[in-house]
Amino acid sequence: MILAANFKMNHTRASTKLYIDRLQICGKPENIQIYLFPPFTALDRYESVAVIGAQNGYPARNGSYTGEIGLEQLEEFEIKTILLGHSERRHLLGEDQEFIAKKFDFYKQAGFEIFYCVGETLEVRKSGSKELMEAYLEAQLEGIDTAYEKLVIAYEPVWAIGTGQSATPQDIQEALAYLRTKSGAPLLYGGSVKPQNIAQILEISECDGALIGTASWDVEQFCEMIQIAKEL
Ligand code: PEP
């Protein structure tokens, strides 16, 4: 089972260090793989029970891409895991599928483990159409090697991210069942996962773990979720 914490633009270098120290005490149950995606300024070679990943990366080793971070910078900290296709990058930062697929291909060639996010908008969800929903998810897999052996797919409905409103177990189950027809990769759910609902989510068939934003920023809550997952 995978539990991944996406800090987004939260935590500093100092607070990430404290977080990682506390996580060591919390420990790593045998059945769980833990990942942390801190902001770039907090990347380092940590001694940690968690694998440290990058929230993003430009598809180049280095170069004239002001404000971006590339393979050379990630290699300095031995980062070998990356999050791509997150809805905030798609919808707030305007990344289109072609660019995301280019990043995917670049980091795949570099041998990275890739956490790849897909998820429908509220408009698509509200349409109630299974066909529309599946076509939307399929379009987000365009140009992506779904057979890549270091791929993890996170199903994250846009309307459930950071809203406190998680998708229902049935919605999640249906989306994961569809994604399972496309890939043999581990499938995660993300979208307002918290200590109160994580057990129910992790028990869904085809659900191999969770990608957690808001509720992971407090290390005590993240530890609590690790303990809950350990008991399942
Ligand atoms: C995320 O950003 O990947 C996420 C799932 O956020 P939250 O848990 O806050 O909905």
Side-chain angles (χ1 to χ4, degrees):
M1 188 183 301
I2 294 173
L3 292 186
N6 176 14
F7 283 8
K8 313 192 191 198
M9 203 172 73
N10 297 284
H11 277 293
T12 60
R13 187 173 189 77
S15 70
T16 299
K17 168 101 181 52
L18 292 174
Y19 188 109
I20 287 172
D21 288 348
R22 172 67 185 98
L23 203 58
Q24 290 303 105
I25 298 165
C26 174
K28 194 193 94 60
E30 247 176 54
N31 61 332
I32 301 175
Q33 292 162 264
I34 304 171
Y35 290 80
L36 289 191
F37 294 91
F40 289 147
T41 55
L43 292 179
D44 211 334
R45 288 195 194 93
Y46 295 102
E47 270 294 311
S48 177
V49 293
V51 173
I52 309 296
Q55 292 178 22
N56 183 32
Y58 195 83
R61 184 163 182 79
N62 50 35
S64 298
Y65 304 103
T66 302
E68 292 290 329
I69 184 165
L71 182 58
E72 187 175 85
Q73 289 76 38
L74 297 177
E75 278 178 352
E76 183 178 17
F77 299 117
E78 292 171 4
I79 303 296
K80 294 293 284 175
T81 303
I82 193 163
L83 191 62
L84 294 177
H86 192 278
S87 82
E88 285 150 15
R89 298 216 59 92
R90 290 180 191 269
H91 300 288
L92 297 178
L93 295 151
E95 288 189 8
D96 63 17
Q97 187 59 28
E98 199 185 342
F99 186 51
I100 294 168
K102 198 171 164 189
K103 288 185 180 196
F104 187 98
D105 198 48
F106 180 84
Y107 284 98
K108 177 188 145 186
Q109 297 308 327
F112 272 54
E113 183 170 20
I114 301 177
F115 280 58
Y116 185 74
C117 304
V118 296
E120 81 284 359
T121 58
L122 184 59
E123 200 186 5
V124 172
R125 169 58 62 185
K126 274 189 169 163
S127 76
S129 159
K130 195 165 183 284
E131 290 71 36
L132 206 61
M133 163 89 184
E134 293 183 352
Y136 195 90
L137 296 181
E138 186 166 27
Q140 292 184 324
L141 294 174
E142 206 179 306
I144 303 302
D145 177 3
T146 54
Y148 179 45
E149 69 278 11
K150 292 186 188 167
L151 171 64
V152 175
I153 297 179
Y155 167 60
E156 299 207 307
V158 177
W159 50 273
I161 296 178
T163 59
Q165 190 201 342
S166 169
T168 65
Q170 194 189 335
D171 292 344
I172 299 170
Q173 201 273 325
E174 280 172 17
L176 296 186
Y178 172 70
L179 290 169
R180 178 56 69 227
T181 66
K182 301 284 165 190
S183 176
L187 300 176
L188 313 184
Y189 168 74
S192 298
V193 176
K194 49 194 164 206
Q196 295 83 346
N197 63 14
I198 192 165
Q200 197 185 21
I201 288 165
L202 294 178
E203 275 166 351
I204 295 168
S205 60
E206 300 293 0
C207 185
D208 300 303
L211 176 55
I212 309 157
T214 315
S216 74
W217 304 339
D218 172 0
V219 69
E220 301 308 330
Q221 281 202 62
F222 193 49
C223 287
E224 193 182 337
M225 289 187 276
I226 293 170
Q227 292 312 315
I228 293 169
K230 180 184 162 186
E231 305 303 328
L232 297 175

